[in-house]
Amino acid sequence: MTESLLAAARRAPRETWVVVGAVSASQYLNHAYLVLFPPILAVLSGEFTVGLAALGVALGVQGATNTAFQLPFGRLADRYDRTIALGLSSVLGAVGVLAAAAAPTYEWLLVAQAVIGIGVAGHHPAHYPLISDSTPEDLMGRAYSLYGFGGSVGFATPPVLIAGVVSAGYSWRLGVGLIGAVGLAYALGVTWLFAARVDDAVTAPNVPDDGDADDAGPTGSRSRGSWIARARAYLRELAAAPGVLALALLALVSSTSSWGFTSYVVVFLQDGYGLSLSRANLALTGSYLVGALAVFVGGDLSDRISAGPVMIASFAIVGVLVGVFALGTVGPLAAVGLVLLVGGARSIAGPARSKLTDALSPSGATGTSFAITTIGVMLGNAVAPPAFGYLIETAGRRAAFLGVAGVSLLAVVLTVWLIARFGDA
């Protein structure tokens, strides 16, 4: 597999790796923004005097605004300009993180999370078309692997950085603020790079705006006609992509499982297995680092075999591993090992899902198609934290994590149905 990756890098056009590298770095920050607070839920609970369920709502708010802005950003990337979509979302995400670092109250934190969600929403609709239009078909799985690697390392950063800052006696705000400052600097740099150095054939939309709304008459009615035309255009694009809608449903289910695990695994390791905060966060970081390597395996397998079997195996293994973890029948060291294995197993599915989304996307709607599947992912992010936080407070940790395992096994069933109905990439 290593030889094939090196060979792929040698034969890829230079612009492919410029685009894939820059977008992967953007994905690193994007994913870091998503997991700022799960490593320090106990700290936040004490500072803002709220419970896990309320903090789950704060995590869910980010997922909700992320979901709401997926299609608008997808439309922007597909019909207007991908550089604007990437730059705008990158700046908004960084500003939201800086606002979270300064949050004096729980309510302020909710607003900051909402802004982060809007910023994060634009990444996938811009990233995936940029990769798709700059990468040869036979290298697509490997390009998505590098992209997934950036995201996995991004997930791994906050547990180490923010928990390390807290363990050293400093405020969590310092760690969050540092991530926001780096994110803002990168947002400005990557916007310049794509505006000045990347070919317009990559950054321009697939399909020019059709101007549906231009016939709406006077200014007021034209504005109303524009919104109606856009709504109709969204519905047409959705109806033309039943396979993408099915993938969005699968993404919702698998994401609910993944975010349920990520949001509360540190809490479970602390309260259920007796680990300290720093060691529990090291386990979470380790799971993402294992996932960062496993994503290359997923990309290679997706290119060599096909997407469906890779996804089925990934979801099934995650379900079994989380089930064993939930039962609490192993010791603390073995529990950490299970967390690492979950990180690797769930990452294998990422490139396969991306490749399948690309294959099922209607012509000229790649950004919107990835926005639709990301809506599924982000709905899972919106639903899982409050739902499983409530379960932990009412039914206990074991019941909540057995629920996480069950949802992952449901994703296996959905994947089998999806491949049988729509085919494999």
Side-chain angles (χ1 to χ4, degrees):
M1 185 185 72
T2 302
E3 291 181 358
S4 68
L5 289 171
L6 293 175
R10 283 194 294 268
R11 72 173 185 271
R14 177 180 176 275
E15 188 166 68
T16 295
W17 293 118
V18 170
V19 172
V20 173
V23 168
S24 298
S26 177
Q27 180 73 338
Y28 165 84
L29 289 164
N30 177 33
H31 278 197
Y33 297 165
L34 292 174
V35 292
L36 292 173
F37 300 125
I40 52 169
L41 287 179
V43 175
L44 296 176
S45 178
E47 178 156 344
F48 293 113
T49 61
V50 293
L52 281 181
L55 289 173
V57 170
L59 298 178
V61 163
Q62 185 191 107
T65 56
N66 193 330
T67 301
F69 281 83
Q70 284 296 319
L71 282 177
F73 272 113
R75 187 79 170 174
L76 177 61
D78 277 343
R79 301 283 175 162
Y80 296 99
D81 190 280
R82 294 167 185 171
T83 300
I84 294 175
L86 177 61
L88 180 61
S89 63
S90 298
V91 170
L92 283 173
V95 169
V97 172
L98 292 172
T105 64
Y106 173 74
E107 291 75 19
W108 182 293
L109 185 67
L110 290 178
V111 173
Q113 282 284 84
V115 175
I116 294 172
I118 296 171
V120 171
H123 284 259
H124 284 182
H127 289 170
Y128 285 110
L130 288 168
I131 293 174
S132 179
D133 282 3
S134 65
T135 305
E137 179 64 31
D138 63 331
L139 299 180
M140 200 70 73
R142 292 168 177 83
Y144 285 133
S145 293
L146 181 60
Y147 178 70
F149 176 81
S152 295
V153 177
F155 276 142
T157 299
V160 170
L161 177 61
I162 299 175
V165 166
V166 172
S167 298
Y170 299 99
S171 171
W172 59 271
R173 300 174 188 275
L174 176 62
V176 173
L178 179 60
I179 292 173
V182 171
L184 186 58
Y186 187 80
L188 299 176
V190 79
T191 303
W192 172 85
L193 174 68
F194 277 92
R197 298 296 183 184
V198 177
D199 196 302
D200 288 346
V202 174
T203 60
N206 295 111
V207 178
D209 187 42
D210 55 18
D212 291 36
D214 292 342
D215 300 327
T219 303
S221 60
R222 182 182 299 120
S223 176
R224 290 191 296 273
S226 175
W227 284 106
I228 293 171
R230 289 174 184 174
R232 288 173 177 170
Y234 287 149
L235 292 175
R236 285 198 299 270
E237 289 171 359
L238 290 172
V244 174
L245 290 176
L247 270 172
L249 175 61
L250 174 60
L252 166 61
V253 174
S254 62
S255 174
T256 299
S257 173
S258 182
W259 282 109
F261 183 82
T262 296
S263 298
Y264 299 109
V265 66
V266 171
V267 172
F268 200 137
L269 286 171
Q270 285 183 273
D271 297 341
Y273 286 98
L275 270 65
S276 65
L277 175 64
S278 60
R279 290 181 178 178
N281 274 300
L282 281 176
L284 179 58
T285 295
S287 76
Y288 286 128
L289 293 178
V290 172
L293 299 176
V295 76
F296 288 107
V297 177
D300 194 65
L301 290 174
S302 297
D303 282 342
R304 290 175 182 271
I305 307 171
S306 60
V310 175
M311 295 166 69
I312 290 169
S314 171
F315 300 144
I317 293 170
V318 168
V320 172
L321 292 174
V322 175
V324 174
F325 179 83
L327 292 175
T329 55
V330 298
L333 184 60
V336 170
L338 289 171
V339 172
L340 299 181
L341 290 174
V342 168
R346 66 181 177 180
S347 294
I348 290 173
R353 189 187 69 210
S354 298
K355 188 172 182 179
L356 192 56
T357 304
D358 189 58
L360 296 177
S361 297
S363 177
T366 307
T368 301
S369 295
F370 276 102
I372 291 169
T373 57
T374 304
I375 284 173
V377 174
M378 290 300 106
L379 277 174
N381 184 15
V383 169
F388 288 112
Y390 176 78
L391 269 178
I392 288 173
E393 290 192 341
T394 57
R397 296 181 301 269
R398 178 178 297 182
F401 274 74
L402 285 175
V404 170
V407 173
S408 188
L409 295 177
L410 176 60
V412 174
V413 177
L414 284 174
T415 306
V416 172
W417 167 80
L418 187 150
I419 298 303
R421 174 67 177 81
F422 298 102
D424 203 340

